[in-house]
Amino acid sequence: MHELFSPGEQPACAIVQLNAELIGDMGEGRFVTFVAAVCGRDVREIELLSAGHGPYSSIFLGEDRLRSGAQGLPLGISSQFASDPPKLLELNKGDLLVLATDGFLEWTNEEGEQFGVHKSRGTIRKSKEKTPNGLISTLYAAVLAFSGGTKQRDDLTAVVIKRT
């Protein structure tokens, strides 16, 4: 991954190469969702390209917006990966982007209710002033408390990009 997403490489080209590698390694019927967020230290714009991964949350100037809809199919489904163009997000001071796996959204409580998009967004909204690590810790604590001790059935991975 690190090699494929080297500086100057277009995310769409890197994802096509990654898909080709995965097709050779994975068995039939298996796939991987993936999202690439390309940004620089002094650049306000983030280039986002999703292969079946979503939804994601972004907070712009105090207003949260749920984004969904991947630009392409998950990786490993077809040897010919095609996608829509990447989305461009411009982050101003205080804006943030939260990318989290569906393990957060789909973790259920004892009644079988999922944590879901609404609770996830509410937690993110209330935690937007925290550091990225603090926001991730708060999101994890919220889903853990919600679960009431039910077994975690999927991975929990989150990335927060915050413009300071």
Side-chain angles (χ1 to χ4, degrees):
M1 298 276 301
H2 191 282
E3 184 178 314
L4 292 176
F5 285 88
S6 61
E9 183 69 49
Q10 295 296 318
C13 294
I15 287 181
V16 166
Q17 292 175 345
L18 179 59
N19 185 63
E21 293 287 332
L22 289 172
I23 286 284
D25 286 346
M26 297 189 323
E28 191 170 320
R30 297 182 56 95
F31 63 89
V32 174
T33 64
F34 179 83
V35 63
V38 180
C39 57
R41 177 178 286 281
D42 298 321
V43 180
R44 293 179 6 177
E45 200 170 70
I46 295 177
E47 190 173 4
L48 197 66
L49 184 59
S50 173
H53 187 86
Y56 57 90
S57 294
S58 51
I59 297 181
F60 297 102
L61 302 174
E63 176 187 342
D64 66 301
R65 301 179 208 161
L66 179 69
R67 308 284 180 141
S68 60
Q71 288 79 42
L73 291 174
L75 302 175
I77 290 181
S78 171
S79 62
Q80 301 299 313
F81 181 79
S83 73
D84 292 337
K87 293 190 185 264
L88 296 176
L89 302 176
E90 186 173 321
L91 297 184
N92 294 304
K93 187 174 181 177
D95 293 347
L96 57 98
L97 171 66
V98 179
L99 303 168
T101 58
D102 59 4
F104 284 98
L105 303 177
E106 295 174 359
W107 197 340
T108 59
N109 61 16
E110 293 173 344
E111 290 77 36
E113 176 188 11
Q114 293 184 347
F115 187 67
V117 171
H118 182 73
K119 288 178 188 65
S120 175
R121 273 197 347 188
T123 302
I124 292 167
R125 186 182 304 115
K126 291 176 191 172
S127 306
K128 67 184 177 187
E129 300 298 326
K130 294 185 177 195
T131 65
N133 284 341
L135 192 149
I136 291 170
S137 294
T138 301
L139 183 60
Y140 176 69
V143 75
L144 195 61
F146 170 83
S147 74
T150 61
K151 185 177 180 181
Q152 177 185 340
R153 304 212 178 268
D154 202 351
D155 70 292
L156 299 175
T157 304
V159 174
V160 175
I161 299 170
K162 184 173 187 176
R163 181 153 174 105
T164 57

